[in-house]
Amino acid sequence: MSTGLELKDVSISFGGLKAVTDLNFSIFPGELLGLIGPNGAGKTTVFNLITGVYTPTSGRISFNGDSVSSRKPEGITRMGIARTFQNIRLFSSLSVLDNVRAAMVMHLKHGILHSLTRGPAFLKEEGSVEDEAMALLDIFGLKDACHANAKSLNYGDQRRLEIVRALATRPKLLLLDEPAAGMNPSEKDDLMKLIRFIKERYNLAVLLVEHDMKVVMGICERIAVLEYGRKIAEGTPKEIQSHPKVIEAYLGAAAVVD
Amino acid sequence: MKRYTTQIVLLVVVLLSLGISVLSGKFDAYYMDIALNVGINIILAVSLNLVNGHTGQFSLGHAAFMAVGAYGASIFTLEMSARLMPLLGGPGSFATGVAFLLALLVGGLCAAVCGWLVGMPSLRLRGDYLAIVTLGFNEIVRVILQNTSGDGVFGGPLGLKGIPPLTTFFWVFAIAAICVYVVGSMVSSTYGRGFPAVRDDEIAAGSMGINTVRYKVTAFVVGSFFAGLSGGLYAHLRTTISPEGFNFLKSFDVVVIVILGGMGSTAGVIIAAIVLTVLNEFLRDFEQYRMLVFSILLIVMMIVRPQGLLPSFPILNRKKSA
């Protein structure tokens, strides 16, 4: 069964604060959904709910029919949901290649004892892991830097490596948390091309949480808008741009009159 | 041939230590004793480095696991080995060797079980809980041993005496080589990339599908196992052990070796183990200032070279693909 990610009446409150209220939306396989909203609207909270950092107070989050909530982050990744981080969280003491290898651990057939016996099957798998990692790095233009330390990369490359690392977990759904943050316009253009490319190539569903309207409007097929923890609109970029509630949320009530 | 390089190196070191062991009568007993101390400290430091260096947890109770291993192995030898002798084909050097190996393994496994019991609850949490728990565990082990009955198997505050001196150069350095091999292979494999991933960023590691708790517990249990082995070797070298020998200062000594050698650098830690053990011997005349010297050394290192003697790199160098 492949129904993608589904949020049904999801709410979470921190003490008396209702951060997200009765949120409903779905991401279908192979779809690129944007999640936008003014500061403090609850975008990151939604992200943390899906990735298992928070557990919803009520409601249900499911991925291809299986419940996501109550699983640990690593369990959710094993379901096929990978993420990147808003503030880059690479494994800073490891090389570029090893960052990718570390993300492939969960697919290994061989465990710790095989690493001691170092039999032919183990060495073969080590080789194939390295080949797969190198192939991924090659696609994203990071192959030449594969032995460099991850933190020695420039900002744009670090963001790209985060995406490569997430892809190495072989996800079906990729969650991108503000990938354009801190990028200049030409880097943003490259990022848009990159997101489109990985979506097509790996047939991924993508959830993009982003502040930058140009990026969101440029690549998303569907957009959901949050304000004060509630969904106020959902539709194509065109519909969203002319939606009165969205304009009100971003520009204030007076703007709608004109 | 090339794919077995690491195993061949391991075998060569083991055979070499057997050779030196056979010739040990020809060397000065004092220097042999220092060499054996060096070997035991290498096992302790390399195994602690798996926990503190590679996996980024902070254990302050390595001596406790050494104590568990030392008592486990000694009690096995004192109580069981006479009974085992006939089963192993009568008294003889082969039977003694097998019985000693069994004793060491019993000690190691006792320590590993303790490591699991201590690690399971405390490693589920993120942060520095392990440091506090292991510090407490170290004291608990020492106090329990001290309060056992003097005529019981644990020997009370005076400890155990009359342990047969079975530890030879071969046993110490063969086990040190195995320890280096195990830690090195574990950490450098793809599976083992999870250890530094957990150290660098536990949240990101979890999000990459890495079971962070299992990695931390694995590192801790393997580290405890080798600490237990080194305890068994130590007991059968000194022939007497007492609870005081495994106090917090002993744990601290090992932590100092790991920090000076470089967290996560096996080669650096081995060098530090050699340097500090030998230094210890030279400082024997200034016994009361020993901790002073170590502390100053530690402070100077922190300022001058915080990454340790050698930067961390896997001891088993992987092929560099172009």
Side-chain angles (χ1 to χ4, degrees):
Chain A
M1 194 160 67
S2 187
T3 51
L5 183 82
E6 198 178 5
L7 279 79
K8 214 166 154 44
D9 300 325
V10 173
S11 301
I12 183 169
S13 39
F14 302 103
L17 177 79
K18 275 208 140 185
V20 173
T21 314
D22 295 333
L23 184 67
N24 285 293
F25 72 83
S26 335
I27 305 168
F28 302 108
E31 187 189 32
L32 209 169
L33 180 82
L35 185 64
I36 60 169
N39 280 332
K43 301 184 296 287
T44 302
T45 309
V46 171
F47 205 91
N48 285 335
L49 283 168
I50 298 172
T51 50
V53 178
Y54 301 147
T55 314
T57 318
S58 66
R60 180 182 147 88
I61 304 173
S62 61
F63 185 63
N64 291 342
D66 296 324
S67 173
V68 166
S69 27
S70 82
R71 277 178 204 249
K72 286 177 158 192
E74 65 250 30
I76 291 171
T77 309
R78 280 162 204 266
M79 292 173 80
I81 302 179
R83 68 171 294 181
T84 64
F85 292 89
Q86 186 178 341
N87 43 347
I88 296 174
R89 280 176 173 268
L90 290 169
F91 303 129
S92 53
S93 74
L94 297 184
S95 71
V96 170
L97 175 63
D98 280 352
N99 264 274
V100 182
R101 280 172 76 207
M104 297 167 81
V105 162
M106 67 176 195
H107 294 298
L108 291 177
K109 288 191 221 42
H110 293 100
I112 199 149
L113 289 176
H114 297 96
S115 71
L116 303 183
T117 53
R118 300 175 74 83
F122 166 79
L123 292 172
K124 197 172 160 217
E125 189 177 29
E126 290 287 284
S128 74
V129 162
E130 184 161 334
D131 290 346
E132 189 182 334
M134 289 305 275
L136 266 174
L137 288 171
D138 195 18
I139 292 168
F140 293 89
L142 290 167
K143 191 181 175 184
D144 295 334
C146 70
H147 291 298
N149 196 301
K151 70 180 170 202
S152 71
L153 294 180
N154 66 42
Y155 187 78
D157 282 348
Q158 288 195 17
R159 282 237 171 265
R160 266 213 298 251
L161 179 56
E162 271 229 331
I163 295 174
V164 175
R165 192 178 62 167
L167 287 175
T169 65
R170 299 181 203 152
K172 295 182 211 84
L173 169 65
L174 180 63
L175 309 173
L176 300 171
D177 195 2
E178 305 217 6
M183 283 190 170
N184 65 34
S186 86
E187 282 173 333
K188 279 178 191 169
D189 283 340
D190 289 343
L191 179 77
M192 283 162 70
K193 277 188 211 132
L194 181 74
I195 294 173
R196 250 188 234 123
F197 169 76
I198 55 178
K199 179 182 156 314
E200 296 305 325
R201 171 151 183 150
Y202 299 99
N203 195 25
L204 283 175
V206 179
L207 172 69
L208 178 68
V209 173
E210 185 52 71
H211 256 307
D212 191 283
M213 284 305 141
K214 193 173 157 250
V215 173
V216 175
M217 297 298 168
I219 55 174
C220 290
E221 289 149 9
R222 215 149 54 84
I223 295 172
V225 189
L226 284 183
E227 194 193 13
Y228 299 120
R230 288 171 193 276
K231 187 173 79 177
I232 55 169
E234 187 180 333
T236 61
K238 231 183 168 148
E239 287 163 9
I240 292 296
Q241 273 166 331
S242 54
H243 198 291
K245 273 192 171 170
V246 178
I247 298 171
E248 190 186 321
Y250 272 92
L251 302 172
V256 185
V257 182
D258 297 321
Chain B
M1 251 332 247
K2 204 178 168 194
R3 61 164 41 163
Y4 297 114
T5 317
T6 46
Q7 283 100 323
I8 291 167
V9 170
L10 173 71
L11 204 66
V12 167
V13 173
V14 170
L15 289 177
L16 209 64
S17 52
L18 183 63
I20 295 175
S21 201
V22 170
L23 297 172
S24 65
K26 296 205 191 323
F27 299 108
D28 188 293
Y30 175 63
Y31 293 114
M32 275 310 272
D33 190 68
I34 295 177
L36 293 180
N37 264 334
V38 166
I40 288 171
N41 280 340
I42 288 175
I43 302 170
L44 278 171
V46 169
S47 59
L48 184 68
N49 193 29
L50 177 63
V51 181
N52 287 24
H54 294 293
T55 322
Q57 306 306 304
F58 205 78
S59 167
L60 280 173
H62 219 48
F65 300 106
M66 192 187 175
V68 171
Y71 274 84
S74 307
I75 292 168
F76 185 89
T77 303
L78 293 172
E79 305 286 326
M80 298 294 290
S81 86
R83 267 173 257 177
L84 272 175
M85 277 304 147
L87 291 175
L88 296 167
S93 59
F94 175 75
T96 317
V98 175
F100 183 42
L101 181 64
L102 281 174
L104 288 176
L105 286 176
V106 166
L109 289 175
C110 289
V113 169
C114 286
W116 189 78
L117 289 174
V118 171
M120 252 339 244
S122 47
L123 290 168
R124 291 184 164 273
L125 303 165
R126 222 169 263 149
D128 297 326
Y129 297 97
L130 188 70
I132 300 157
V133 172
T134 48
L135 191 61
F137 180 69
N138 201 335
E139 283 302 287
I140 289 168
V141 168
R142 190 180 62 85
V143 170
I144 287 178
L145 288 174
Q146 226 153 23
N147 285 288
T148 52
S149 151
D151 353 297
V153 281
F154 292 102
L158 291 176
L160 297 171
K161 314 187 269 298
I163 306 161
L166 297 171
T167 301
T168 60
F169 193 91
F170 164 70
W171 286 107
V172 171
F173 281 88
I175 290 174
I178 291 169
C179 178
V180 171
Y181 173 79
V182 166
V183 172
S185 324
M186 253 170 74
V187 169
S188 66
S189 69
T190 299
Y191 177 89
R193 293 289 82 191
F195 294 109
V198 168
R199 172 189 65 199
D200 284 355
D201 195 323
E202 211 173 320
I203 292 173
S207 292
M208 294 306 128
I210 292 169
N211 188 336
T212 53
V213 175
R214 188 193 287 174
Y215 270 90
K216 289 192 285 184
V217 172
T218 303
F220 198 63
V221 168
V222 172
S224 305
F225 175 73
F226 280 105
L229 288 186
S230 78
L233 291 168
Y234 176 81
H236 290 82
L237 175 66
R238 290 280 158 265
T239 70
T240 82
I241 48 173
S242 70
E244 266 314 306
F246 305 103
N247 59 9
F248 166 67
L249 288 179
K250 180 71 197 168
S251 291
F252 181 73
D253 279 349
V254 189
V255 173
V256 169
I257 294 176
V258 171
I259 292 176
L260 286 186
M263 301 271 235
S265 157
T266 307
V269 163
I270 293 172
I271 293 171
I274 297 169
V275 169
L276 284 186
T277 315
V278 173
L279 195 66
N280 228 339
E281 284 304 318
F282 284 124
L283 292 175
R284 204 158 273 281
D285 296 338
F286 317 96
E287 185 74 38
Q288 64 269 47
Y289 302 117
R290 192 174 67 93
M291 273 298 154
L292 202 66
V293 173
F294 275 19
S295 303
I296 292 170
L297 201 61
L298 206 57
I299 294 168
V300 170
M301 274 300 274
M302 284 293 119
I303 296 167
V304 180
R305 215 178 146 74
Q307 69 272 43
L309 284 174
L310 292 179
S312 68
F313 61 88
I315 188 138
L316 306 164
N317 264 326
R318 306 180 60 255
K319 70 177 157 66
K320 295 265 182 281
S321 41

